[in-house]
Amino acid sequence: MSAERILYPCYFDATLKRREGRRVAKNFGVKSPELPAIEAVLRKMKVTHRLEEHHHPARWAEREGRIVAEWEGSKEDLIRKVASGLVGRK
């Protein structure tokens, strides 16, 4: 049985402040991350995931969607791995 971890694009957005939803250091963030890029990183990592039309509670007007990933480790580990994959795609 695996745990589900929810990832929002705002977690990886270097243009946002922490209180606006960013969860990574600015140098590990990217400008305007999109779900397809995050999904590509998860696919490369071979992490089972699905897309949902939900939005981040603090950014309800943005309607950017989210990804639910099946991940056994901590959510912070997953966020760091995805962030390093996004930075590597630049």
Side-chain angles (χ1 to χ4, degrees), residues 63-83:
R63 302 286 183 201
E64 52 195 2
R66 70 181 185 185
I67 294 180
V68 179
E70 293 182 20
W71 183 258
E72 284 297 325
S74 73
K75 185 173 182 175
E76 290 306 314
D77 286 341
L78 177 60
I79 289 172
R80 278 190 224 106
K81 288 180 187 283
V82 171

Side-chain angles (χ1 to χ4, degrees), residues 9-61:
C10 65
Y11 288 178
F12 310 98
D13 195 339
T15 63
L16 296 178
K17 296 177 182 176
R18 289 273 187 174
R19 69 174 179 253
E20 294 173 320
R22 180 174 49 87
R23 302 257 318 242
V24 298
K26 283 195 176 197
N27 57 334
F28 283 108
V30 294
K31 184 178 179 184
S32 302
E34 295 182 357
L35 282 182
I38 298 168
E39 186 177 25
V41 172
L42 289 171
R43 220 177 289 120
K44 187 174 180 180
M45 293 170 50
K46 296 182 176 26
V47 174
T48 305
H49 62 277
R50 70 180 184 275
L51 297 175
E52 293 185 346
E53 293 293 322
H54 297 277
H55 52 80
H56 189 276
R59 297 171 51 81
W60 59 270

Side-chain angles (χ1 to χ4, degrees), residues 1-15:
M1 183 185 318
S2 62
E4 291 185 338
R5 309 290 185 210
I6 297 173
L7 301 175
Y8 295 99
C10 65
Y11 288 178
F12 310 98
D13 195 339
T15 63

